[in-house]
Amino acid sequence: ATFATPGQRTVTLTVSNGSFEVDSMSKTDFIKVYAATTYVATNGANLAPFTNWNTAASNIQDAVNLAVTGGTVFIGPGTYYISNQVTVTRALLLQGVAGRSATILEKAASVTTRILTLSHAAAVADGMTLKGGISTTQDDVGGNVLMAAGLLRNSTITAGSAIYGAGIQLNAGVVSNCILLANATKSGSGASGQGGGIYMNAGTATHCTVISNTSIRQAPGIRIAGVATLRNSTILRNSSGGNAANSGAVYMDAAGVVENCLFVGNTNTSITGSGGVSLNNAGARIRNCTIIGNVATNVGGLLLLNGSATNLIVWNNYGIGGTNDIFGTNKIGFSSSPDLTHDPLGTGNITNNPLFVDPGSGYGVAHILGDYHLAANSPCVDTGFSIPELLTGVDLDGNPRLRG
């Protein structure tokens, strides 16, 4: 059978025999005809199958369930209070039609739930704010968002709470052009409290701003625990403390990559780790980044216990009782920092002031932001190392990097 309109259909089976005996059985709503597009609105009539704004669903999951694989769920402006997480397990686009500032998915009062789970490679959530999610005690990962696959873009993730990944737990997929704001890890047993903004086991975070997140232990900004990539992002004014808080911005103890990022004004008040970035894996790489204005009790800027660092500017950080800018200088090349040995013809490292347009002032979350573009006469201009896989890459502004 074919059906012209979406909805649920009742099926009736009728049988007869040569003695003219007839019997039938019906199954209500046995066939579901999915809609190519479903709608969600705060003022819709909530009439399935939700195929226009007038009949739009009031519950986002209901609209997801009735959208065809490969279809779109349009979410209108307003605040939607989430009592049970929205789960997308198929190829589907969730689109906030008015953008992140006007489309808000917020945890309902007196419940414990995350806001969103994506678990299909072609699942996309776009243009919304995800707010106040709390992970459950059963898994305690991904306060606002759990990603096993898919794409989250053009969204704000804020006020989430979890032991691991208060904002997002990224196990696979891509987070793009998102703001991670004021998420906070919570306490638990063992090495708990990691990844205030994002906890990355895999996947990619790109063109994101990670700001004012906190962690009671490690990495209030981003914790990289697997083969994952962080690129073209700004990580600022995040803060951590407590026991073994290994960084104020990013901690990576896996073979991940951090590139084309700015780390500024982050704070680590514990007795270990760095205020900016900490690497502790032979395969960990950081390149083409600026680390400035961070503060820690131990190492202010970059703690390079293991891994490699190339094309960095690490300047004006403060280690209250230790090293200001870099600890682990034998694993770094083609970079600028006063903690390096000046060797422009060997390691490529220099100790010259990089001459920012405006370096800002102060340290940690109290750092007054500056303009971290390089002045025309900066000694760092056109002196980096050409990394083969980045020959077609761009910097944080989207401009071509050194080609020579």
Side-chain angles (χ1 to χ4, degrees):
T2 59
F3 304 95
T5 59
Q8 300 184 115
R9 304 292 193 274
T10 297
V11 175
T12 300
L13 174 65
T14 301
V15 296
S16 61
N17 58 24
S19 301
F20 302 103
E21 295 173 318
V22 179
D23 199 2
S24 63
M25 178 177 290
S26 296
K27 192 159 187 179
T28 303
D29 296 337
F30 183 66
I31 295 176
K32 290 183 178 179
V33 182
Y34 294 97
T37 305
T38 57
Y39 295 78
V40 186
T42 57
N43 58 352
N46 197 37
L47 296 175
F50 319 123
T51 55
N52 58 65
W53 289 116
N54 291 330
T55 63
S58 57
N59 181 284
I60 296 172
Q61 190 67 54
D62 289 344
V64 168
N65 293 343
L66 289 184
V68 69
T69 297
T72 300
V73 178
F74 285 125
I75 305 173
T79 299
Y80 300 85
Y81 293 101
I82 307 300
S83 296
N84 294 290
Q85 65 176 321
V86 177
T87 302
V88 184
T89 60
R90 299 177 287 126
L92 204 63
L93 168 62
L94 273 63
Q95 180 67 62
V97 296
R100 71 176 91 199
S101 62
T103 308
I104 301 168
L105 281 62
E106 182 175 355
K107 183 188 74 67
S110 303
V111 300
T112 300
T113 184
R114 76 170 54 91
I115 305 300
L116 175 67
T117 292
L118 301 179
S119 59
H120 190 282
V124 180
D126 187 343
M128 57 194 73
T129 290
L130 309 171
K131 181 179 179 181
I134 303 175
S135 64
T136 62
T137 55
Q138 286 80 10
D139 54 21
D140 233 323
V141 299
N144 272 318
V145 182
L146 173 62
M147 291 184 63
L151 169 62
L152 175 63
R153 65 189 179 200
N154 305 324
S155 295
T156 296
I157 298 89
T158 185
S161 175
I163 292 178
Y164 300 96
I168 300 173
Q169 173 85 4
L170 183 61
N171 295 331
V174 176
V175 178
S176 177
N177 194 32
C178 286
I179 299 170
L180 284 297
L181 170 66
N183 301 282
T185 65
K186 56 184 177 178
S187 61
S189 61
S192 60
Q194 302 184 31
I198 310 176
Y199 191 104
M200 302 179 69
N201 284 315
T204 298
T206 182
H207 295 88
C208 291
T209 299
V210 183
I211 179 170
S212 298
N213 302 281
T214 59
S215 176
I216 62 169
R217 187 176 174 89
Q218 294 178 354
I222 298 178
R223 171 75 161 89
I224 301 176
V227 182
T229 299
L230 170 66
R231 63 164 59 101
N232 296 96
S233 295
T234 299
I235 295 85
L236 73 157
R237 291 179 174 157
N238 303 282
S239 60
S240 63
N243 182 37
N246 287 310
S247 76
V250 171
Y251 177 59
M252 176 164 56
D253 62 353
V257 177
V258 175
E259 58 192 23
N260 294 350
C261 290
L262 171 65
F263 303 92
V264 56
N266 300 285
T267 297
N268 176 6
T269 60
S270 78
I271 61 173
T272 63
S274 71
V277 179
S278 298
L279 271 64
N280 192 16
N281 183 281
R285 292 173 291 166
I286 181 171
R287 53 210 191 180
N288 299 357
C289 292
T290 297
I291 303 172
I292 184 170
N294 304 284
V295 65
T297 303
N298 188 18
V299 179
L302 172 65
L303 176 59
L304 193 59
L305 296 173
N306 211 339
S308 63
T310 309
N311 297 344
L312 305 187
I313 299 175
V314 188
W315 204 267
N316 283 356
N317 301 281
Y318 182 35
I320 298 170
T323 302
N324 285 336
D325 290 298
I326 302 176
F327 181 88
T329 57
N330 63 321
K331 302 178 179 70
I332 184 169
F334 295 90
S335 296
S336 171
S337 176
D339 287 335
L340 296 172
T341 298
H342 191 78
D343 186 17
L345 299 181
T347 62
N349 293 325
I350 61 175
T351 57
N352 308 73
N353 189 316
L355 299 180
F356 294 109
V357 171
D358 177 2
S361 62
Y363 304 100
V365 295
H367 176 78
I368 298 173
L369 296 178
D371 180 347
Y372 310 107
H373 293 88
L374 296 175
N377 60 336
S378 166
C380 298
V381 172
D382 291 339
T383 60
F385 177 74
S386 289
I387 300 171
E389 61 265 37
L390 297 181
L391 288 178
T392 59
V394 296
D395 63 17
L396 191 56
D397 283 339
N399 297 318
R401 282 197 172 272
L402 173 68
R403 295 289 188 270

